[in-house]
Amino acid sequence: MKILQANIFTVLVLSVPFLHGDEKSDIRQVSINFKVLETPLGLIDQILIHTQKEDSEKTFTPVLSRPRAWEVYQALLASPDAELLYLPSIVVLDGQPARLSSGKELIYPTDFAIPLESNQSSPSQPTPRFDTVAPDDEQPGFRKVGLVIDLTPRIEKNHGISLELVPKLTRLVNFEEYGQGIKVPVFWSWSVNTVINLGVKESLVLRGPSSEAKKEILFFIEPSISP
């Protein structure tokens, strides 16, 4: 197992003014733990088969019991080819939005002005420009390279927890030549926008393709109601 960036994280914790008596007893908070791994493609499927106790545990399902999710997570960490990328946690008020963010902030030009012909002996270099090219959730010429998680937890009447969840993982994977020796960055990103309802003893596992061939990204998400 390799551990990368697991202790580097910015955590937003929402708080409220000090309250007295019954006012304070009505306030509830949700604690959420995340475990983000990069593993060989299909490794989790092999682990599910080898550690299954019932037929229903042989195939991947995104919602697992908390003990089963922990068992699978530990088996993944035991593999020398698995990498633990992030290990953040957050406490947030019931029904309030929050954001987790970790990574580098990269500024880059989105266009170049080609110079006019001149009598100079050496050719002029293109002039970088910052235009309006960007994904919907990013500013032009600016990218957060790393992990961002937007979430809103809600405690349900049955004491379950619903999560509005938008995780996004972004990597700088390469540079491509724009012309005359100018190179522009190439980004890879993976994101999910979902709403899920979990019991108090359940965990959510999200999986998706990695930027590296024959690997995948796994998100283990464990919410609980804080006292």
Side-chain angles (χ1 to χ4, degrees), residues 53-217:
K53 298 179 179 64
E54 300 176 4
D55 289 341
S56 60
E57 296 180 341
K58 287 184 178 181
T59 58
F60 175 81
T61 57
V63 178
L64 299 174
S65 68
R66 194 65 54 88
R68 179 63 170 153
W70 177 254
E71 179 184 28
V72 173
Y73 170 70
Q74 290 294 320
L76 287 167
L77 290 185
S79 170
D81 298 320
E83 296 182 1
L84 179 59
L85 304 179
Y86 301 93
L87 193 63
S89 61
I90 187 171
V91 178
V92 58
L93 286 177
D94 176 26
Q96 296 299 311
R99 165 173 284 200
L100 295 162
S101 176
S102 175
K104 296 180 179 180
E105 298 177 349
L106 180 63
I107 298 175
Y108 62 96
T110 58
D111 196 5
F112 296 87
I114 305 301
L116 298 175
E117 294 293 333
S118 65
N119 295 325
Q120 297 177 354
S121 58
S122 59
S124 301
Q125 293 296 317
T127 302
R129 291 176 174 175
F130 294 84
D131 208 339
T132 57
V133 178
D136 293 339
D137 58 344
E138 300 277 1
Q139 295 295 321
F142 172 88
R143 294 295 294 271
K144 169 78 75 171
V145 178
L147 179 66
V148 176
I149 303 176
D150 289 303
L151 68 146
T152 303
R154 289 183 174 85
I155 301 174
E156 302 296 342
K157 293 181 179 179
N158 62 356
H159 300 293
I161 301 172
S162 67
L163 286 176
E164 295 181 18
L165 191 64
V166 187
K168 182 178 181 180
L169 182 62
T170 302
R171 288 172 170 171
L172 174 63
V173 295
N174 202 353
F175 287 88
E176 289 187 355
E177 188 167 338
Y178 185 84
Q180 298 190 24
I182 300 298
K183 294 184 177 181
V184 294
V186 177
F187 299 99
W188 169 91
S189 66
W190 177 83
S191 64
V192 174
N193 190 331
T194 187
V195 180
I196 185 73
N197 187 46
L198 296 172
V200 292
K201 296 182 179 180
E202 291 180 329
S203 296
L204 175 66
V205 183
L206 300 176
R207 64 190 298 188
S210 169
S211 59
E212 298 186 26
K214 298 182 179 180
K215 290 189 176 183
E216 63 181 332
I217 302 295

Side-chain angles (χ1 to χ4, degrees), residues 15-65:
S15 60
V16 295
F18 179 78
L19 299 175
H20 299 276
D22 294 338
E23 290 178 291
K24 188 174 181 180
S25 64
D26 293 335
I27 297 175
R28 296 186 295 177
Q29 299 182 122
V30 178
S31 174
I32 308 170
N33 296 320
F34 296 88
K35 302 177 180 70
V36 185
L37 301 94
E38 186 172 45
T39 69
L41 184 64
L43 176 60
I44 189 172
D45 299 302
Q46 298 174 26
I47 289 173
L48 287 169
I49 293 173
H50 294 153
T51 61
Q52 60 88 22
K53 298 179 179 64
E54 300 176 4
D55 289 341
S56 60
E57 296 180 341
K58 287 184 178 181
T59 58
F60 175 81
T61 57
V63 178
L64 299 174
S65 68

